[in-house]
Amino acid sequence: MKIRYIFPLVVGLGVLSGCEQNLLDTVPNDRISSDIFWKTERDAILASNGLYPALDGVNIFAIEGVTDISHVNQVFQVESNIEKGIHDALNSRPQTEWTSAYRGIRLANDFLANIDKVQTTNTALIARLKGEARTLRAYQYTKLVGLFGDVPLVTTTIGIEEGRTLKRASSAQIWDFVLKELTEAANDLPAAQTDKGRITKGAALALKARAALWAGRYQEAADAAKAVIDSKTYALYSSYANLFSYAAENNSEVILDKQFIKDTYSNNVFASMGPYSQRTANNTYVPTKALVDAYPMANGKDITDPTSGFDPKNPYANRDPRLRASIFVQGDDLPDGKKFDPRPTSGTADAIGNTYLATSTGFVLKKYINKEDLTTGGNCGINIVLLRYAEVLLTYAEAKIELNQIDATVYDAINQIRQRADVKLPALATGLSQAQLRDVVRKERLLELAFEGLRLFDIRRWKTAEKTMVGDVYGMTYADGADLKTIQIASFTRVFDPAKHYLWPIPQKERELNPELTQNSGW
């Protein structure tokens, strides 16, 4: 069964800690007092449940939306300014991600400060719950460093005045902390949990592999990924096309996801990301031509290769199956059974230019868009996957390539993904150089993990954003009579300044609250 979140309980406990003593003389009836909580094993489990809502959810699409493979569909959204390189420390997207991450860190710190008050002889349970909290806290710090670089490292509960004097710890210090935490947490976590969605040993090790890769600590990344692989706990799901469907929830590939329940704890992924024609959907962030063109032909050749068989007049035929599994393209079946036709001349609700809510590129995300949510687009129960086995395989391969430890296991890790049962791309040619394999694994990350919230972190750590995040934004190419026309987003140019844009600015509000917070270079 899924975790039943009790976030209000944990918030209530945090709020109570600052109350004056005379207010605690009576037990409040609108929250649980710390005087009567933290007594039993059940208290510990319920409190741990309250840590999970701080995990990322549909916000991963906003983070993905400001990369080369996506476009902010409504230009008045705050993320559009990030695309155009005109954002500043007042932009609400960095503020939202900062606030959300430190909220999760505060909840974990509060939990770890109180869990030992529980009266039990079940030390294994307490150790497991601590391991979950430490992993969830490490998850937030991994994201914070990827977005902001140096940030305050807070590992205990603090008061308001302490919060006004926090200084930024170096990224290296935070990576040291994160990797140590995840190593120790993994030792206290089980390979599987009865409640779906809870942190496992595999989740801690997979997150360690991700963090070490982002930190450039490739041997640690390879070792952590290898530990996940050798555990034999996970396997690639047979169908990439169905990987993000309700039927595939909690499948063998999922290592960590955020669990949702329709009507109880739901998300709005269909409403925010689905095709405009599908009732309440409005294409908030849409795929770009850069992403669509990156998918090779089914024979493995790039569409720019004259021998690939690519037909510009029939551009989606015989392509890597992950293209149509990930993105709605012209001619695809929509959840309501109609055909997707975004051509400006199509006369459909999805036609480019029909409304500012319709896709501006002619492409729409297909991952997570399920027909079960057609009539309730703002009330979806689909889980959002945050870590899956395919990423672990690619992390292992990339780390080994960067270490120049290229062997059969590197090829095997990549080929497993390329040759998934419903993908079946040709196996890689052997004997590739380190530089060639680096290009291969980076492209596989792009294709396999598109719109899963990782692209921004990848193009930052690879230092490729200065090349991919500049210039005009393009969409679909379509036939207009005998002519082929390519959509270009009107009056929109991306700008990326490598002197500043590889990190987001520290939010201005945070610096006003805490004068000790310095600003990132260039901001």
Side-chain angles (χ1 to χ4, degrees), residues 220-236:
E220 287 184 83
D223 291 345
K226 186 67 160 49
V228 177
I229 295 168
D230 288 347
S231 74
K232 306 296 184 183
T233 304
Y234 306 98
L236 294 178

Side-chain angles (χ1 to χ4, degrees), residues 55 101 104-105 108-109 112 130-145 153-154 174-175 177-183 185 199 203-204 207-208 210-211 214:
L55 280 171
I105 291 166
N109 286 342
L112 291 168
K130 285 181 178 179
E132 292 179 32
R134 295 171 77 182
T135 303
L136 290 166
R137 182 173 61 182
Y139 176 95
Q140 302 297 349
Y141 275 118
T142 299
K143 182 176 75 168
L144 281 169
V145 177
L153 179 59
V154 186
I174 295 173
W175 289 134
F177 171 77
V178 163
L179 296 174
K180 182 175 183 291
E181 284 287 283
L182 293 171
T183 300
I199 297 290
L207 182 58
K208 180 183 177 181
R210 175 191 288 180
W214 291 7

Side-chain angles (χ1 to χ4, degrees), residues 66-68 83 459 464-471 494-496:
V66 294
T67 70
D68 54 326
E83 257 197 291
I459 61 177
T464 58
E466 59 202 72
K467 296 179 180 179
T468 61
M469 283 299 298
V470 295
R494 284 174 169 161
V495 173
F496 188 94

Side-chain angles (χ1 to χ4, degrees), residues 420-432:
R420 191 192 296 259
D422 66 346
V423 175
K424 295 181 179 177
L425 290 184
L428 294 177
T430 57
L432 298 178

